[in-house]
Amino acid sequence: MTHPHPPETFGARLVETSLATERVRLMTFEREGGPFHFRAGQWVNFHFPLKDEKGHPLHRAYSIASAPGGTSRFELAITHVNAGPGSEFLHAMRPGEVLEARGPQGTFLRPLDAPAPALFVATGTGLAPFRAMVHDAIAAGRKERLWVLFGVRTPQDVLWEAELRALEKAHPFFRLEVTLSRPPPDWGGRRGHVQEHVRALWAELAALEPAPDAWICGVKKMLLEVRDVLRKELGLPRARVHAESYG
Ligand SMILES: Cc1cc2nc3c(=O)[nH]c(=O)nc-3n(C[C@H](O)[C@H](O)[C@H](O)COP(=O)(O)OP(=O)(O)OC[C@H]3O[C@@H](n4cnc5c(N)ncnc54)[C@H](O)[C@@H]3O)c2cc1C
């Protein structure tokens, strides 16, 4: 397995940006000065020209949503948090503007030499590292089952839906299961939170695959509840449950 690249500080120039949902902005940056080497699952830390509540420079972490491609570009998905200084700064950025970044960082990494099949559980922009991992696995020619359980409020909140549905058609080992916490009356899919669906989906995957891993990413409350189901109820060992908390 290749080792993660050491983090470095660089200028991240915003190349393009669009609103994917009411609250989530997709943002493509490029690293000034050359290619950005990272691994799927890693994140960058932005150093904002702002101070936090203690008067220290404001830093915030963002998972890279694109797979490594040897270029200077990387994509992020940013949830707008009301009165949140970091996310509001990012949502207000215009193409051409540059922000100081430090990365790549993090150890939320699937080994590429012998990765286990995976159940990825995400809410909101917690999907970002899993999008990177799925594209990375496909680019590496992997065929183990990769299933995503993705929780959002409404059908309009599903990120990268057309892209992920196309991947499902092209690669039967990939599956996207969406659950909505505020479904419209005519919604025929899963309802409620990811916590309510993880048992059944895990059982289905574990019946097909010898030893899948579970991966969880998103806000802390969801992450802890899903982890409790997997570890305490279903008895998965610690080493097979990977989690990245957005706080
Ligand atoms: C390793 C790591 C990776 C991260 N990756 C992403 C990412 O890819 N996209 C992203 O939008 N955020 C991500 N975050 C969260 C991000 O770092 C900030 O916490 C977030 O942007 C809020 O910062 P703020 O200054 O706007 O608001 P603050 O005033 O700092 O608000 C903090 C509040 O926002 C909540 N919050 C944080 N992130 C989210 C979120 N994504 N959705 C809903 N509520 C949230 C926290 O629970 C907390 O209550 C990541 C965090 C970590 C530690």
Side-chain angles (χ1 to χ4, degrees), residues 23 43-44 48 58-64 76-90 123-126 128-129 217-220 244-247:
R23 296 195 311 144
W43 45 274
V44 293
F48 296 96
L58 186 85
H59 293 179
R60 293 286 184 264
Y62 295 96
S63 300
I64 302 167
L76 305 177
I78 313 292
T79 302
H80 182 266
V81 173
N82 276 337
S87 62
E88 290 202 331
F89 186 96
L90 286 165
T123 49
T125 42
C217 185
V219 288
K220 200 168 199 167
E244 184 88 287
S245 171
Y246 281 3

Side-chain angles (χ1 to χ4, degrees), residues 138 142-143 166-175:
I138 290 172
R142 305 291 319 174
K143 302 270 188 260
L167 282 187
E168 258 189 327
K169 281 209 178 104
H171 305 285
F173 56 85
F174 173 67
R175 177 171 166 192

Side-chain angles (χ1 to χ4, degrees), residues 35-123:
F36 182 39
H37 298 292
F38 61 94
R39 287 192 46 202
Q42 291 196 288
W43 45 274
V44 293
N45 213 359
F46 279 130
H47 301 172
F48 296 96
L50 303 169
K51 301 272 188 237
D52 66 16
E53 62 286 352
K54 292 183 187 145
H56 299 136
L58 186 85
H59 293 179
R60 293 286 184 264
Y62 295 96
S63 300
I64 302 167
S66 49
T71 74
S72 58
R73 292 198 172 196
F74 59 99
E75 296 169 31
L76 305 177
I78 313 292
T79 302
H80 182 266
V81 173
N82 276 337
S87 62
E88 290 202 331
F89 186 96
L90 286 165
H91 274 240
M93 276 184 81
R94 295 287 162 258
E97 291 177 354
V98 178
L99 192 55
E100 187 177 286
R102 187 162 173 80
Q105 315 214 33
T107 54
F108 196 55
L109 302 169
R110 290 182 75 224
L112 277 182
D113 43 5
L119 177 62
F120 299 120
V121 183
T123 49

